[in-house]
Amino acid sequence: FGLLVPDYAVVCFVIGFIATLVGQIGLGILMERYQRNSYIAFSIGGVVLLSAFLMTIQSLVAMAEGKPSAQGGICGASGH
């Protein structure tokens, strides 16, 4: 469909794979050591909280710089 930027796709795949591997091993160790399943919920909540915080910061910086709100992101192949 022409929306995927191949360079970003490779980098994001590698980062996602490594982060998933580290997360699986880390949570497995924590859950085995402390016998608590709540770490799964805490990690999901932390990721949601972090993403909401970072999107807010990005929006505030864009508004302060006077940039119009652009749709797209890394999958928007405009200008490539």
Side-chain angles (χ1 to χ4, degrees), residues 5-79:
V5 180
D7 296 339
Y8 288 146
V10 172
V11 172
C12 288
F13 176 80
V14 171
I15 290 171
F17 186 81
I18 292 171
T20 300
L21 184 64
V22 170
Q24 284 282 58
I25 292 170
L27 272 177
I29 291 170
L30 275 176
M31 289 173 50
E32 184 177 319
R33 182 176 295 163
Y34 297 111
Q35 299 296 314
R36 295 183 56 105
N37 291 335
S38 59
Y39 293 117
I40 297 171
F42 291 150
S43 65
I44 293 170
V47 168
V48 171
L49 181 66
L50 178 65
S51 64
F53 177 73
L54 292 175
M55 286 189 297
T56 301
I57 296 297
Q58 181 182 11
S59 295
L60 291 174
V61 168
M63 286 190 298
E65 292 176 348
K67 293 181 182 177
S69 62
Q71 301 294 325
I74 64 168
C75 289
S78 62

